[in-house]
């Protein structure tokens, strides 16, 4: 089939791992279902994986149901330091921000970063960049943020409310995007896996991956890049690769999950935590929103 011919699209979204069985996730499922319909229509209409992934993650940031964007929690100093990344498989372009303060959509800032030379901007440099590119500010953090987790947890507690999207568009491009407030009550300056290209976020010509969970373990296993390497060098299928990586995270003592899509439009959503807020759809009619098994 010529490359310009439309081929199947596929998308998966996540709103974080380790959902608590006693909590009611009806509002999360309602929002994810509506978002999945919207992004499916965009992909059906031929929109690019890059635009759709950015859009989906920005919507998940804005909804306030997850520990990202509006629903994020502050660090131990009461400051909202947020992380995000986006990666475009066909040319391996990537953009990321970490410890970003004062802007509503870290993923949109990450997309702007992707257009330049640096891959990752941190702290003040990231905020200056966001301001220079006219990204929407958070004028009053205490008025804007509505932490989706209200309890005061012990330092650096996994909240598992990161959000992400992996997309294969009709032209075959694969994109991954991730955004997070990180661990709850986190150490100031702490940066997790989400904005680290190859740990929490990765896309190449074979696969796109967005991780969630105890970020340090996903960094110590180079989780997202390991999935890609297992496919590229080990000839593994997507399912084999993601199961092996989640098992490696577990062997080190970490909990979490990931969403992934390969160049054939196969989707795999493994996790070793108690749940994974997730949604997936394909042009072949698959459409599913789930939190637990
Ligand atoms: N992986 C994220 C981090 O460690 C947290 C999460 O997924 O909820 O920053």
């Amino acid at each position: 089939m010529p490359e310009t011919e439309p081929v199947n699209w596929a998308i998966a979204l996540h709103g974080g791992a380790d959902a608590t069985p006693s909590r009611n996730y009806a509002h999360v499922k309602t929002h994810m279902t509506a978002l999945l319909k919207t992004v499916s229509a965009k992909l059906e209409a031929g929109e690019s994986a890059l635009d759709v992934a950015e859009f989906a993650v920005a919507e998940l940031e804005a909804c306030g149901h997850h520990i990202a964007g509006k629903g994020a929690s502050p660090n131990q100093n009461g400051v909202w330091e947020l992380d995000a990344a986006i990666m475009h498989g066909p040319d391996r372009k990537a953009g990321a921000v970490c410890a970003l303060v004062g802007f509503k959509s870290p993923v949109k800032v990450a997309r702007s970063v992707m257009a330049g030379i640096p891959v990752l901007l941190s702290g003040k440099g990231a905020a200056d960049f966001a301001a220079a590119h006219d990204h929407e500010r958070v004028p009053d953090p205490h008025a804007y943020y509505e932490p989706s987790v209200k309890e005061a947890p012990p330092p650096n507690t996994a909240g598992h409310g990161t959000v992400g999207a992996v997309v294969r568009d009709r032209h075959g491009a694969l994109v991954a995007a991730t955004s997070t407030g990180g661990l709850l009550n986190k150490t100031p300056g702490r940066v997790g896996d989400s904005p680290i290209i190859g740990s929490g976020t990765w896309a190449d010509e074979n696969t796109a991956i967005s991780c969630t969970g105890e970020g340090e373990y996903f960094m110590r296993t180079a989780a997202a890049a390991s999935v890609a390497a297992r496919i590229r060098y080990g000839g593994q299928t997507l399912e084999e690769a993601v199961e092996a990586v989640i098992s490696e995270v577990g062997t080190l003592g970490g909990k979490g999950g990931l969403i992934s899509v390969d160049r054939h439009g196969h989707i795999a959503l493994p996790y070793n935590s108690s749940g994974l807020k997730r949604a997936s759809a394909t042009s072949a009619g698959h459409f599913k929103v789930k939190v637990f098994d």
Side-chain angles (χ1 to χ4, degrees), residues 83 159-162 180 182-183 190 192-194 211-216:
D83 306 330
H160 301 310
T162 294
T180 190
L183 297 180
R190 180 265 181 192
D193 60 315
S194 309
C211 302
T212 175
E214 295 168 335
E216 281 68 14

Side-chain angles (χ1 to χ4, degrees), residues 69-75 78-82 99-102 141-142 145-147:
K70 191 173 177 59
S73 293
N75 67 17
V79 178
W80 277 265
E81 290 186 341
L82 308 186
L100 174 70
V101 176
H142 291 279
Y145 291 110
E146 292 172 8

Side-chain angles (χ1 to χ4, degrees), residues 14-18 67-68 83 157-163 178-184 186 190-195 200 211-219 255-257:
H14 74 80
D18 211 21
I67 307 169
D83 306 330
T157 297
H160 301 310
T162 294
V163 302
T178 313
S179 179
T180 190
L183 297 180
L184 301 173
K186 68 185 178 183
R190 180 265 181 192
V191 174
D193 60 315
S194 309
C211 302
T212 175
E214 295 168 335
E216 281 68 14
Y217 295 93
F218 287 79
M219 296 165 94
K255 281 207 162 34

Side-chain angles (χ1 to χ4, degrees), residues 20-93:
T20 314
S22 57
R23 217 174 257 167
N24 184 351
Y25 289 95
H27 60 299
V28 168
K29 283 177 141 181
T30 303
H31 178 261
M32 273 199 165
T33 303
L35 180 58
L36 192 60
K37 280 187 190 150
T38 304
V39 291
S40 297
K42 284 176 176 288
L43 288 166
E44 188 62 36
E47 282 195 34
S48 74
L50 202 49
D51 286 346
V52 172
E54 179 191 352
F55 172 85
V57 171
E59 290 290 309
L60 290 164
E61 289 173 335
C63 75
H65 298 329
H66 312 284
I67 307 169
K70 191 173 177 59
S73 293
N75 67 17
Q76 289 165 16
N77 287 347
V79 178
W80 277 265
E81 290 186 341
L82 308 186
D83 306 330
I86 188 162
M87 187 166 185
H88 181 243
D91 55 11
R92 306 265 190 105
K93 284 199 171 157

Side-chain angles (χ1 to χ4, degrees), residues 57-58 60-62 67-73 79-84 97-113 121-142 144-146 179-181:
V57 171
L60 290 164
E61 289 173 335
I67 307 169
K70 191 173 177 59
S73 293
V79 178
W80 277 265
E81 290 186 341
L82 308 186
D83 306 330
V97 288
C98 63
L100 174 70
V101 176
F103 291 86
K104 286 192 177 169
S105 177
V107 75
K108 288 187 184 174
V109 183
R111 169 88 187 262
S112 297
V113 171
L121 294 178
S122 68
K124 184 171 182 317
D128 289 348
F129 175 92
H133 287 77
D134 290 328
H135 283 282
E136 201 180 346
R137 291 173 185 271
V138 173
D140 174 358
H142 291 279
Y144 178 69
Y145 291 110
E146 292 172 8
S179 179
T180 190

